[in-house]
Amino acid sequence: METETEKKEYQDYVKRVTPTANVWVQMGKAFLLGGVICTLGEGIQMLGMDRFGLTRQEAGSWCSLCLIVLAVLLTGFNLYPSLVKWGGAGALVPITGFANAVAAPAMEYQAEGQVFGVGSKIFTIAGPVILFGIFASFLMGVILLIA
């Protein structure tokens, strides 16, 4: 049976080792990093329309492509995890976060070969997101059809 002293020591230990986070600071960092990523994307899109004469849809496609390539390169040079650590959801939510979620497992398991490494592990993180996204959109479609 635990004594009061042991309980107090355990609670003190838990307080010491439990990481503390300021929610407002974390939300501010996420907002800032997500805003920088979105501003970069908007800049790429505007550049495509103004400088290269692309339509809005074409410029949007180029914007997505550029952001994905940038995220994969940052993941390849092991810089994207630092952005995620600093900005949290601000780096994980946009299209760049999805690109990182696909590229990181591919790089991690490449030593196991193309089939059993990259091929089987590439969607370990992104796979559930794709699955539940498709399922949720199907469910919403059924609800809209009925309504």
Side-chain angles (χ1 to χ4, degrees), residues 126-139:
V129 174
I130 295 169
L131 172 71
F132 290 115
I134 291 171
F135 179 72
S137 64
F138 169 76
L139 203 60

Side-chain angles (χ1 to χ4, degrees), residues 55-116:
T55 65
R56 179 173 282 289
Q57 188 172 3
E58 291 170 339
S61 297
W62 276 102
C63 170
S64 297
L65 181 67
C66 290
L67 289 176
I68 289 169
V69 168
L70 180 63
V72 169
L73 287 173
L74 289 174
T75 301
F77 290 117
N78 204 25
L79 297 173
Y80 205 85
S82 300
L83 289 174
V84 171
K85 186 175 181 180
W86 185 83
L92 293 175
V93 173
I95 194 169
T96 54
F98 191 76
N100 174 62
V102 173
M107 290 174 34
E108 184 176 344
Y109 293 103
Q110 70 182 356
E112 296 178 27
Q114 294 298 314
V115 175
F116 294 112

Side-chain angles (χ1 to χ4, degrees), residues 1-127:
M1 182 130 198
E2 290 184 46
T3 65
E4 289 298 318
T5 308
E6 289 173 331
K7 286 182 183 178
K8 172 106 172 77
E9 286 176 5
Y10 177 73
Q11 288 177 353
D12 290 341
Y13 169 75
V14 168
K15 284 181 185 176
R16 251 190 353 264
V17 298
T18 302
T20 58
N22 185 334
V23 175
W24 293 104
V25 170
Q26 287 302 108
M27 286 192 312
K29 288 179 179 179
F31 179 78
L32 183 65
L33 184 57
V36 166
I37 292 170
C38 291
T39 302
L40 177 64
E42 188 65 26
I44 293 169
Q45 188 169 0
M46 290 294 129
L47 182 70
M49 290 185 332
D50 296 341
R51 181 89 166 140
F52 299 108
L54 301 174
T55 65
R56 179 173 282 289
Q57 188 172 3
E58 291 170 339
S61 297
W62 276 102
C63 170
S64 297
L65 181 67
C66 290
L67 289 176
I68 289 169
V69 168
L70 180 63
V72 169
L73 287 173
L74 289 174
T75 301
F77 290 117
N78 204 25
L79 297 173
Y80 205 85
S82 300
L83 289 174
V84 171
K85 186 175 181 180
W86 185 83
L92 293 175
V93 173
I95 194 169
T96 54
F98 191 76
N100 174 62
V102 173
M107 290 174 34
E108 184 176 344
Y109 293 103
Q110 70 182 356
E112 296 178 27
Q114 294 298 314
V115 175
F116 294 112
V118 175
S120 65
K121 303 290 186 178
I122 194 166
F123 289 113
T124 54
I125 297 172

